[in-house]
Amino acid sequence: NGLRVLTLEMPAMDSVSLGLWIGAGGRHEEERQNGISHLLEHLLFKGTARRTARQISEAIESVGGSLNGFTSEEYTCYMAKVLHRDIRRAADVLFDMYLHAALKPEEIAREKAVIREEIHMYLDMPQHHVSDLYNEVLWPGQPLGRPLVGSAETVGAISRGAVAAYRDGRYVPANTVFAAAGRVGHAGLLEIARRLSPERAAPRRPARFRPAVEAQNGPAFLLRNKPTEQTHLCVGVRAYSRLHPDRYALHLLSIALGETMSSRLFQSVRERHGLAYAISTSVSRYADTGAFTVQAGVENGKFIKALSLILKELASVRDKGLRRAELERAKVYWSGQFCMAREKTTQTMLGIGESLLCAGEVLTREEIQSSISRVTLEDVRRVAVDIFRDGRLNMAAIGPHRDESAVHEALHL
């Protein structure tokens, strides 16, 4: 029927983590239906023809397991973790939700109200809201620039018919991956999938999303004036797609700049100058684009100074590169984090499921480690020269600020 089934056997574990991955996320939405993927994710937990919402959760929690789901820009995932003896129960619950969600009008109305409160909660959390504003600057007028939860207006206007049509068009076997990691064999998982999924289904894949537009001539920013105790900022550049050949070099660059307490930005902005409690870097990757981001909460009166220090470090790596010891520390840190994550069934399932659905392949542990080990100082420097340019620079900030001219003057590399 087109369903892809993926297993990573971890026979020493007592648990197994299961995930149903569907190619339906924020990038697949029309502007007027912004938030429909997230709304649908909520609704799958609200009952089926066989189970009430409470029975869905009790079916997993009564055997000591956990059940969850999340929506991303390019997919939605529903997952359960149970002891290996309860794998059939967990799979039955997930497929029941996936195939037979009731989508009752009263549940839709109730969940819209819940999501409105979720939206208001995020608006009251500047460290979260600034990320949405930053995406808006990176990808203006595009799905990637819209919040995954939608707005109170768009979510409120979504009808049951629209939700059902979106589900029926995208929640199909050919657009789905069933992934498992833990104490489970592939033959057994295939048997479960054959029993629970539709015997026949049209081998079709829904239309893909529109490519990202990256037109930009100079630095761009959005300054949101709000009486906060700190200024929350995101600053960075559009970077590389999910399968870009330089993705490993970019990841190591991010580690060296801001993913650890010994990183350049942590040492400069927090330890030497005392301007921030938290500062970090991250890399986002999508099918055709990506981003490198620095996020921090800084002292209001020293916002411009902190921004200038951040950009100074980015420019330094671009102009001089990393030191050899920095690159080696980044590789060792990456290897340790990667290996420890692979000890957990949930983290392993999340990695392989996303990879197969979004990239069409699953690299082995050895293949990934080999790619990391081959990254050179020249590779990292080339990446920094490529992405750390004024024409790619974007920023969003929330705090008690009105002087956009000061930001405009500081925002350059």
Side-chain angles (χ1 to χ4, degrees):
N1 61 14
L3 178 71
R4 286 161 287 173
V5 181
L6 174 64
T7 308
L8 197 152
E9 298 184 34
M10 304 168 71
M13 300 296 174
D14 287 325
S15 68
V16 59
S17 292
L18 303 174
L20 275 173
W21 296 77
I22 302 99
R27 298 195 72 180
H28 302 99
E29 301 170 353
E30 298 296 331
E31 184 174 6
R32 61 187 174 81
Q33 293 184 339
N34 180 210
I36 194 171
S37 302
H38 177 251
L39 173 61
L40 179 57
E41 176 224 314
H42 276 227
L43 292 172
L44 258 67
F45 291 87
K46 298 305 172 184
T48 70
R50 293 168 48 203
R51 293 179 172 96
T52 64
R54 181 166 182 170
Q55 287 170 334
I56 286 173
S57 58
E58 284 184 345
I60 302 299
E61 292 169 357
S62 65
V63 294
S66 60
L67 182 68
N68 209 340
F70 62 93
T71 306
S72 184
E73 287 80 4
E74 296 180 348
Y75 55 80
T76 304
C77 177
Y78 303 89
M79 58 187 186
K81 181 176 182 178
V82 293
L83 294 175
H84 68 93
R85 69 189 182 202
D86 298 311
I87 184 173
R88 292 179 181 274
R89 172 192 289 248
D92 184 74
V93 170
L94 288 174
F95 273 95
D96 189 27
M97 295 163 56
Y98 168 74
L99 294 170
H100 307 299
L103 305 181
K104 294 180 179 179
E106 60 271 25
E107 291 292 354
I108 294 175
R110 187 178 298 115
E111 211 54 32
K112 284 183 178 182
V114 169
I115 290 174
R116 280 196 298 273
E117 293 310 306
E118 183 179 1
I119 292 169
H120 294 152
M121 177 185 72
Y122 290 145
L123 291 175
D124 284 340
M125 298 168 60
Q127 69 272 30
H128 183 283
H129 187 210
V130 72
S131 297
D132 286 339
L133 297 180
Y134 175 66
N135 288 333
E136 184 181 332
V137 178
L138 281 169
W139 293 287
Q142 302 175 61
L144 281 175
R146 302 176 197 137
L148 285 170
V149 294
S151 67
E153 294 72 26
T154 59
V155 172
I158 296 172
S159 67
R160 184 195 183 281
V163 173
Y166 187 80
R167 189 269 310 269
D168 294 345
R170 295 203 168 272
Y171 281 48
V172 296
N175 195 40
T176 303
V177 165
F178 181 36
R183 192 168 169 181
V184 55
H186 189 62
L189 196 70
L190 278 173
E191 187 274 325
I192 291 172
R194 290 193 181 101
R195 179 173 60 85
L196 294 176
S197 63
E199 183 176 344
R200 288 186 175 85
R204 59 189 171 88
R205 296 183 188 276
R208 292 187 60 80
F209 44 77
R210 290 187 293 274
V213 177
E214 299 191 349
Q216 184 176 350
N217 296 319
F221 67 92
L222 194 162
L223 190 60
R224 183 63 52 86
N225 180 264
K226 191 171 184 177
T228 55
E229 296 298 320
Q230 280 186 313
T231 297
H232 297 268
L233 69 97
C234 285
V235 60
V237 293
R238 284 185 303 277
Y240 298 144
S241 63
R242 192 183 303 277
L243 294 179
H244 193 283
D246 279 328
R247 64 190 184 276
Y248 298 111
L250 176 60
H251 194 163
L252 292 172
L253 175 60
S254 177
I255 291 172
L257 278 170
E259 293 189 24
T260 68
M261 289 191 292
S262 58
S263 64
R264 286 194 178 195
L265 286 169
F266 192 95
Q267 288 296 311
S268 173
V269 177
R270 173 174 162 149
E271 299 296 275
R272 286 198 293 275
H273 293 91
L275 301 180
Y277 171 71
I279 182 166
S280 62
T281 58
S282 61
V283 175
S284 304
R285 288 191 290 268
Y286 307 112
D288 55 345
T289 188
F292 167 86
T293 304
V294 182
Q295 183 161 0
V298 303
E299 184 179 339
N300 284 331
K302 297 181 179 178
F303 161 50
I304 297 300
K305 180 179 179 180
L307 175 61
S308 298
L309 280 172
I310 291 168
L311 297 177
K312 179 181 178 181
E313 292 296 340
L314 303 191
S316 175
V317 170
R318 177 196 63 193
D319 298 338
K320 301 177 183 178
L322 292 178
R323 296 183 294 275
R324 186 169 300 278
E326 287 180 298
L327 178 58
E328 292 309 311
R329 280 200 302 270
K331 288 182 178 182
V332 172
Y333 177 81
W334 177 92
S335 180
Q337 293 293 302
F338 180 74
C339 291
M340 286 189 286
R342 282 295 180 103
E343 292 182 344
K344 303 174 183 177
T345 61
T346 298
Q347 291 302 110
T348 301
M349 183 278 293
L350 291 174
I352 64 175
E354 178 182 353
S355 184
L356 183 59
L357 180 72
C358 297
E361 63 180 14
V362 181
L363 299 178
T364 66
R365 174 174 174 166
E366 293 73 22
E367 287 172 324
I368 298 171
Q369 288 177 318
S370 176
S371 295
I372 286 288
S373 68
R374 291 197 303 269
V375 173
T376 66
L377 287 170
E378 291 74 22
D379 293 331
V380 175
R381 174 80 184 280
R382 184 184 65 254
V383 167
V385 169
D386 182 35
I387 66 173
F388 293 155
R389 293 183 275 125
D390 282 3
R392 285 178 176 259
L393 197 55
N394 296 275
M395 191 206 73
I398 298 175
H401 305 285
R402 296 182 183 275
D403 186 3
E404 294 191 357
S405 62
V407 176
H408 188 271
E409 183 178 347
L411 197 61
H412 64 83
L413 289 165

